[in-house]
Amino acid sequence: MSTRVGIDIGGTKVSGGVLDDDGRILVRTRRDTPDRSNAPRIVEDTIVEVFEELLALADEAGVEPPATVGVGAAGFVAADRATVVFAPHLSWRNEPLRESLGKRIDLPIVIENDANAALWAEYRFGAARGVTHAVMITLGTGIGGAVLVGGHLVRGRYGIAGEFGHMQVVPGGQRCECGNRGCWEQYSSGNALVREARGLAMANSPMAADLIAHVGGDVEDLTGPRITDAAKEGDATAIELLAEIGHWLGVGIADLAAALDPEVFIVGGGVSAAEDLLLGPARDTFSRQLAGRGYRPAARIVTARFGPDAGLIGAATLGAEG
């Protein structure tokens, strides 16, 4: 049995695993993503730490040493699959990541956009298996995206296709970390969910009283997972906040359906843990805003099978398949 390493670098966490040929995670670990004010070398150090810990864990578990490494990065990855051109939530700017890591990791390395990696995992093993045309939307710190056409990832001429999170949906709207205003991820992402919840709390809105109590009165503890947990426990404000995120998700998906006409939209990333609290409102908005609704086939909107693991599974698989 051959094995390979997959490492997924997001805005808040670096997760890694050693996987077998069927995409099963045999051992895993994770670290917090270094603050983006840190130099790129600090993020590189974290990746190497995760890799070295995975080797140790694999050895302890009697797992065959890995032969390749795939790294899924939350950023614009160039067509060479070696350079991170720009990462809104990290410190990379034209970062030669494969070259840098190659000096410290003595295995073949492939760098891939994290959403491309997530879609590949779902195509090979999960919710898009058997589908030829699919779109992946990853909701985490921001929004990532990927496109599959004819069973092939569409990377674009420069490798940067699928950055849907930076489509403008509200002219003159919220300032985005990419430098523009009104980007989709400012209205439908983990950051957007947390911003709205904390805004209500800081304004001393009575609507937020139960939500604040859920985190013991510490507004800084209003994170995406905590808000989702509160919603699942029936907190009305948390449910409303997720429904708003879901509404904007449906707006963007309807626009993408007009442009790309896929068979299925797969929603992954940490925020997708809200499941129908998020996807229910998204599907409702999508059905109302789809161009030509009632006269055309409508794509399905489903949750990623592998949830937050999709990025590392896909990165490992792409790293092995080249």
Side-chain angles (χ1 to χ4, degrees):
M1 178 185 68
S2 63
T3 67
R4 67 289 306 267
V5 167
I7 297 176
D8 182 33
I9 308 158
T12 59
K13 67 179 177 9
V14 177
S15 57
V18 177
L19 287 80
D20 66 13
D21 294 332
D22 295 320
R24 289 189 292 259
I25 301 172
L26 306 175
V27 296
R28 66 164 75 224
T29 190
R30 61 166 285 172
R31 295 279 193 286
D32 291 337
T33 303
D35 186 273
R36 66 179 173 181
S37 62
N38 287 309
R41 175 75 181 203
I42 304 300
V43 183
E44 179 189 314
D45 289 343
T46 304
I47 296 168
V48 174
E49 287 171 10
V50 166
F51 171 75
E52 291 176 345
E53 183 174 350
L54 288 171
L55 291 186
L57 290 169
D59 184 59
E60 289 174 12
V63 171
E64 181 178 335
T68 59
V69 178
V71 178
F76 298 6
V77 177
D80 62 5
R81 300 173 73 195
T83 307
V84 182
V85 177
F86 175 69
H89 306 289
L90 296 166
S91 56
W92 290 325
R93 305 293 183 266
N94 290 309
E95 178 67 23
L97 186 59
R98 186 171 68 188
E99 178 184 346
S100 299
L101 291 175
K103 296 174 182 177
R104 306 174 67 183
I105 295 175
D106 189 24
L107 288 176
I109 300 170
V110 167
I111 309 298
E112 186 59 81
N113 170 267
D114 61 340
N116 283 349
L119 178 52
W120 195 249
E122 296 295 337
Y123 172 63
R124 292 281 278 104
F125 308 112
R129 195 166 189 175
V131 169
T132 58
H133 292 67
V135 171
M136 183 87 190
I137 297 168
T138 57
L139 302 182
T141 305
I143 293 180
V147 179
L148 184 87
V149 174
H152 299 281
L153 288 172
V154 177
R155 295 186 175 90
R157 171 63 182 84
Y158 303 106
I160 306 173
E163 290 296 336
F164 309 136
H166 301 290
M167 301 185 306
Q168 187 186 65
V169 296
V170 180
Q174 292 278 350
R175 175 73 72 181
C176 182
E177 290 169 275
C178 77
N180 293 328
R181 286 187 178 275
C183 291
W184 188 23
E185 70 175 42
Q186 292 304 308
Y187 300 89
S188 186
S189 67
N191 273 359
L193 178 65
V194 170
R195 182 191 67 229
E196 294 302 308
R198 291 181 179 177
L200 279 173
M202 296 296 288
N204 293 317
S205 169
M207 289 181 60
D210 290 343
L211 194 54
I212 294 169
H214 184 82
V215 294
D218 187 350
V219 173
E220 292 300 311
D221 277 347
L222 282 174
T223 62
R226 299 296 295 274
I227 298 164
T228 298
D229 288 345
K232 289 180 175 180
E233 292 172 12
D235 183 272
T237 298
I239 291 169
E240 182 178 330
L241 290 170
L242 279 167
E244 185 173 352
I245 297 297
H247 162 76
W248 283 109
L249 178 60
V251 168
I253 288 177
D255 287 346
L256 290 172
L260 299 171
D261 190 31
E263 178 179 344
V264 62
F265 286 94
I266 302 161
V267 181
V271 184
S272 69
E275 299 178 332
D276 281 348
L277 290 168
L278 174 78
L279 292 194
R283 292 184 184 113
D284 289 344
T285 299
F286 173 70
S287 67
R288 291 195 303 270
Q289 297 204 192
L290 178 64
R293 53 195 174 274
Y295 296 94
R296 58 172 290 177
R300 294 177 291 120
I301 302 173
V302 302
T303 306
R305 174 180 172 184
F306 297 114
D309 286 336
L312 75 88
I313 293 170
T317 306
L318 286 165
E321 295 175 349

